Amino acid sequence: MIPDKAPGEDVYQATRDLRKEAHVPSFEKYRELYVSSIENPEEFWGNVAKDFFWKSKHTSQFLDYNFDVTKGKVYVKCMEGAITNICYNVLDRNVYDRKLGDKVAFLWEGNEPGDFLKVTYKELLQQVCKMANVLKSLGVKKGDRISIYMPMVVELVVAMLACARIGAVHSIVFAGFSAESLSERILDSQCSLLITADGFYRGDKLINLKMIADEALEKCKDKSFSIRRCIMLKHLSKEESVLPEGSQSPPAKRTCPDLQEKQKERVKKIRPIPQVPWNPDVDLCWHTLMQEAADECEPEWCQSEDPLFILYTSGSTGKPKGVLHTISGYMLYTASTFKYVFDHQPDDVYWCTADIGWITGHSYITYGPLANGATSVLFEGLPTYPDVSRMWEIIDKYQVTKFYTAPTAIRLLMKYGNEPVQKFTRSSLKVLGTVGEPINPEAWLWYYNVVGERRCPVVDTFWQTETGGHVLTPLPVATPMKPGSAAFPFFGVVPAILNESGEELEGPSEGYLVFKQPWPGIMRTVYGNQQRFETTYFKKFPGYYVTGDGCRRDKDGYFWITGRIDDMLNVSGHLLSTAEVESALVEHEAVAEAAVVSHPHPVKGESLYCFVTLKDGFDYTSTLEAQLKKQVREKIGAIATPDYMQNAPGLPKTRSGKIMRRVLRKIARNERDLGDVSTLADCSVIEQLFNNRCSTV
């Protein structure tokens, strides 16, 4: 699986000086550890588990599983019988056993430059205990599902860890999603409580989060499901109470009053406080509840395979899948991948720019870094606000050593040239990482040469919501780098490449990327739908976990992700279902049929190109197009807004009625070589579609 010797250094390689200073193993040692993790997983992961607290040890084999649907139910069990609590391990263990109470856990940087906050491990533990007590006082118990719909603030971490402390299951919904998307996720997981905020600014744009949350709760009510309580954080409305008459308004929560006073007039002009709807029968104020709560809370001791969280990811059927992760395996895997992939050291300042609403934020902002006692930057804003130097300014401000961002952000900032980067020293940087989608070599080289000044190794990580953590990744310095390659498997991971017949391919090859056995952090099921879990990931090739991605392996054994094979799009590092977008379009009264394909985008990687067939009696106009784009935004979220929309009186279909999407992809790209179209029912639609193409230059 991994070559006996490191491949030749005929491509980009970190300097030998950096290699001498690195704490990660050499390539040979890495290979030795990898082989050990495959041949003796009990010993390998047992050594990792020694760093954590267990109320009781596991009583069965370390990993038990079945990946073959023909042999019965698909399952994965890790450390069955062990009892622990992940919140205790990422907070109490650090505060009391490792004496890290005064160490900074999070350096919060707000949307506005100068709005910042430092939170130590001790302070974070106290806040988590308070919120855990609040949840318990509201009747939340082990196993209950809690929906969290919040901006990138420290309180989001507090809310998720409070759930973990009492054994409740958090379901975090990205704060950019619509009311429809939020309600759909609340309904699917039958959440008993929602935690949200009044609103937040993303750059110049106000997001009235509470209004969207209330709309989602109304949609739930329309479907005969009611949330008992909604806790609202006052993030923007700090000075005026939104509570019913007679309630006490909480104080401002940020600890920089001088700065706030200086900025007050400017902020007032450009930052109006949103009007916050309030329902006294449902709504509760975060601050009032926290003031009254005790700051100690005994953790709920949980079984190893008890659920930790549900996180929804787009499905090819259009209905999001609730990916379920459990406690012990996820804890071990996120802790170990963070430690090795970022070569974590005690004095590091680490910054992952992702949102906690995605799996990257779960694994590599919250659980992985905290499990290692790391100091992390938590950023609320945008890379281009108030100017395109914001990220590099933050790196210098906090002396960031390990930086983890998306290829989308790299391509976006690359457009503005080197000058905004070189205004700042970035001398603290030691490791650069990428996540969310394959990175094109041009962006990789700019990241390595300009941002890292050819002295920082780049770890291009491949993984999914379903995998829980990195599965293919270089290790900094230990792995000779190839721009755009995800390199080799992480410890315990056994990839393979299959052809259409399900045969394993050896040597240089291209096909379906699958995994032959589980690792501790892999998902356990689709919440409430085991059948969908098995059909989506295991039915096509029994005995393997099927990623849905294509992959190429080169002569040196490096893996290169070639993109989604199923009907999914990767827009700015986020998976979107074509079926979900199509469903939103056909809900409009004018639309008879819609087909959505990907189109290359210089910044986002992929964008949405929509073919729309109208019903008789409707004309395709710019007004209608604007309505359709608005409908997609409202149904799914701004991230799903189509870039291109084309009037398509007819779509290319087979005689059985199936839309030939590969043909539509070619048309969207203006590529005339369509391949075999002998199965098309009506070839005349092809030229018509080419003639109606959107200008994509």
Side-chain angles (χ1 to χ4, degrees):
M1 194 57 59
I2 294 176
D4 292 333
K5 295 181 180 179
E9 299 184 12
D10 57 334
V11 288
Y12 283 83
Q13 176 80 27
T15 64
R16 293 192 179 278
D17 288 342
L18 182 59
R19 172 173 287 175
K20 290 172 186 174
E21 296 172 9
H23 303 85
V24 293
S26 65
F27 183 83
E28 291 71 25
K29 182 62 177 176
Y30 157 55
R31 187 182 186 284
E32 182 185 319
L33 284 169
Y34 175 78
V35 170
S36 168
S37 73
I38 302 304
E39 294 180 350
N40 195 346
E42 180 89 26
E43 180 181 340
F44 180 87
W45 293 110
N47 286 331
V48 175
K50 288 176 183 176
D51 287 338
F52 297 92
F53 175 81
W54 308 92
K55 193 79 169 174
S56 65
K57 307 291 185 183
H58 65 284
T59 53
S60 58
Q61 64 189 89
F62 181 81
L63 267 176
D64 183 24
Y65 73 99
N66 172 45
F67 270 12
D68 192 338
V69 291
T70 67
K71 295 180 179 178
K73 179 181 177 180
V74 172
Y75 68 89
V76 177
K77 296 176 182 178
C78 179
M79 300 183 72
E80 199 169 26
I83 295 176
T84 191
N85 181 282
I86 193 169
C87 178
Y88 181 91
N89 273 293
V90 303
L91 292 182
D92 305 62
R93 181 178 61 96
N94 282 320
V95 171
Y96 299 114
D97 297 348
R98 302 178 68 197
K99 309 302 180 188
L100 298 179
D102 293 329
K103 184 176 183 180
V104 174
F106 287 105
L107 297 157
W108 181 78
E109 175 81 9
N111 182 63
E112 291 294 328
D115 195 8
F116 60 89
L117 184 70
K118 290 184 181 181
V119 180
T120 66
Y121 273 87
K122 182 180 179 181
E123 291 167 340
L124 185 59
L125 174 59
Q126 289 173 337
Q127 292 301 304
V128 167
C129 285
K130 278 175 166 282
M131 180 46 63
N133 284 324
V134 166
L135 295 177
K136 287 169 71 174
S137 73
L138 295 173
V140 177
K141 58 188 184 300
K142 181 181 177 182
D144 286 353
R145 277 80 58 209
I146 305 299
S147 181
I148 303 175
Y149 185 58
M150 298 180 77
M152 284 287 285
V153 290
V154 174
E155 289 85 352
L156 170 52
V157 178
V158 169
M160 64 195 296
L161 291 179
C163 290
R165 192 167 191 85
I166 64 172
V169 181
H170 59 74
S171 173
I172 299 177
V173 179
F174 171 54
F177 276 154
S178 65
E180 182 83 20
S181 295
L182 174 59
S183 66
E184 189 174 33
R185 287 154 174 78
I186 289 172
L187 286 166
D188 187 75
S189 53
Q190 299 284 287
C191 293
S192 60
L193 185 142
L194 172 65
I195 305 176
T196 189
D198 50 0
F200 65 103
Y201 276 91
R202 192 155 179 79
D204 284 322
K205 184 180 180 183
L206 169 64
I207 310 294
N208 197 325
L209 213 56
K210 180 61 162 57
M211 194 173 288
I212 299 169
D214 281 1
E215 186 184 341
L217 296 187
E218 280 301 313
K219 289 178 181 292
C220 290
K221 199 178 292 184
D222 291 343
K223 295 182 179 177
S224 304
F225 181 79
S226 295
I227 287 271
R228 296 198 309 267
R229 290 293 192 183
C230 174
I231 299 174
M232 190 201 77
L233 172 76
K234 291 175 66 176
H235 178 50
L236 293 182
S237 51
K238 298 169 194 167
E239 296 179 323
E240 296 177 19
S241 175
V242 295
L243 300 178
E245 188 174 344
S247 297
Q248 184 181 358
S249 175
K253 66 188 184 70
R254 303 295 171 221
T255 57
C256 28
D258 292 341
L259 174 77
Q260 286 181 339
E261 195 59 39
K262 289 174 187 174
Q263 292 185 334
K264 192 173 179 182
E265 289 308 312
R266 182 176 67 83
V267 171
K268 269 187 178 178
K269 291 173 188 173
I270 62 171
R271 295 286 180 268
I273 293 173
Q275 291 297 311
V276 181
W278 190 263
N279 179 356
D281 295 330
V282 176
D283 296 333
L284 298 165
C285 176
W286 171 292
H287 308 268
T288 303
L289 294 170
M290 292 287 275
Q291 284 173 351
E292 298 167 355
D295 61 5
E296 291 186 3
C297 178
E298 180 68 16
E300 179 75 31
W301 299 107
C302 301
Q303 293 286 335
S304 181
E305 283 299 316
D306 281 345
L308 173 61
F309 67 83
I310 301 164
L311 185 59
Y312 285 85
T313 185
S314 294
S316 57
T317 63
K319 179 179 168 61
K321 306 183 295 286
V323 171
L324 180 73
H325 283 285
T326 54
I327 295 169
S328 295
Y330 178 82
M331 177 174 71
L332 296 183
Y333 200 70
T334 54
S336 56
T337 47
F338 177 82
K339 175 183 176 181
Y340 282 103
V341 174
F342 299 110
D343 182 24
H344 173 66
Q345 301 302 316
D347 58 351
D348 275 337
V349 176
Y350 162 82
W351 181 17
C352 171
T353 67
D355 193 287
I356 292 176
W358 308 106
I359 187 63
T360 304
H362 282 57
S363 297
Y364 299 115
I365 293 179
T366 302
Y367 290 109
L370 291 177
N372 283 275
T375 294
S376 297
V377 174
L378 184 66
F379 181 46
E380 182 187 27
L382 294 171
T384 54
Y385 179 83
D387 59 56
V388 297
S389 292
R390 184 73 188 277
M391 291 176 104
W392 323 123
E393 179 185 4
I394 292 171
I395 286 171
D396 275 11
K397 176 179 178 179
Y398 295 115
Q399 292 294 287
V400 172
T401 55
K402 311 293 167 66
F403 181 60
Y404 194 35
T405 194
T408 299
I410 296 167
R411 288 190 293 265
L412 172 65
L413 296 170
M414 188 176 157
K415 282 198 318 180
Y416 299 101
N418 300 352
E419 192 271 335
V421 185
Q422 293 168 344
K423 279 168 56 179
F424 299 90
T425 70
R426 294 153 287 111
S427 59
S428 58
L429 286 174
K430 295 180 179 178
V431 174
L432 303 175
T434 68
V435 59
E437 58 187 306
I439 185 169
N440 53 308
E442 294 80 9
W444 190 102
L445 290 169
W446 184 81
Y447 196 35
Y448 177 68
N449 290 325
V450 178
V451 177
E453 296 180 322
R454 297 180 57 83
R455 57 181 178 75
C456 299
V458 177
V459 287
D460 176 11
T461 62
F462 169 77
W463 58 299
Q464 304 171 312
T465 304
E466 295 88 341
T467 69
H470 308 136
V471 284
L472 297 176
T473 177
L475 293 188
V477 184
T479 310
M481 297 180 292
K482 292 193 179 187
S485 171
F488 303 120
F490 189 72
F491 304 127
V493 177
V494 184
I497 295 177
L498 306 184
N499 62 17
E500 189 65 50
S501 302
E503 299 164 329
E504 285 194 33
L505 304 175
E506 301 297 330
S509 50
E510 186 168 349
Y512 291 88
L513 175 64
V514 300
F515 294 106
K516 300 171 72 169
Q517 66 184 48
W519 50 94
I522 192 173
M523 71 182 292
R524 298 306 194 252
T525 190
V526 170
Y527 181 77
N529 199 335
Q530 174 71 13
Q531 183 61 51
R532 189 178 185 192
F533 172 59
E534 295 183 2
T535 300
T536 303
Y537 303 104
F538 300 95
K539 187 176 180 181
K540 185 174 181 67
F541 299 120
Y544 301 92
Y545 166 82
V546 181
T547 64
D549 282 290
C551 186
R552 174 174 62 85
R553 182 171 48 219
D554 68 18
K555 63 182 178 59
D556 294 320
Y558 282 62
F559 288 85
W560 302 73
I561 305 302
T562 56
R564 300 296 296 179
I565 291 174
D566 51 19
D567 291 330
M568 304 292 290
L569 299 174
N570 193 321
V571 178
S572 295
H574 306 310
L575 280 186
L576 292 173
S577 160
T578 57
E580 195 174 5
V581 179
E582 289 163 3
S583 176
L585 289 168
V586 298
E587 284 187 30
H588 193 283
E589 62 175 357
V591 179
E593 194 170 26
V596 178
V597 297
S598 68
H599 187 276
H601 191 282
V603 174
K604 295 188 287 189
E606 288 184 312
S607 58
L608 281 76
Y609 191 115
C610 305
F611 295 86
V612 177
T613 303
L614 302 183
K615 295 175 183 175
D616 289 343
F618 289 92
D619 295 323
Y620 194 89
T621 64
S622 59
T623 301
L624 175 61
E625 184 173 306
Q627 289 175 359
L628 293 174
K629 289 184 178 182
K630 182 172 182 281
Q631 180 148 314
V632 173
R633 273 198 305 274
E634 290 176 349
K635 289 287 181 183
I636 304 172
I639 198 166
T641 305
D643 285 73
Y644 308 106
M645 197 169 286
Q646 175 177 337
N647 182 22
L651 293 172
K653 297 181 181 179
T654 64
R655 290 174 179 81
S656 63
K658 184 178 179 182
I659 297 172
M660 296 185 71
R661 294 176 190 279
R662 66 171 180 82
V663 172
L664 290 177
R665 287 189 198 99
K666 293 278 190 179
I667 294 169
R669 291 165 169 77
N670 202 22
E671 296 173 0
R672 292 276 177 171
D673 181 11
L674 301 180
D676 181 15
V677 291
S678 60
T679 58
L680 264 179
D682 180 7
C683 289
S684 66
V685 301
I686 298 294
E687 197 57 36
Q688 189 177 38
L689 290 172
F690 269 114
N691 291 337
N692 286 348
R693 268 191 81 254
C694 298
S695 174
T696 57
V697 178

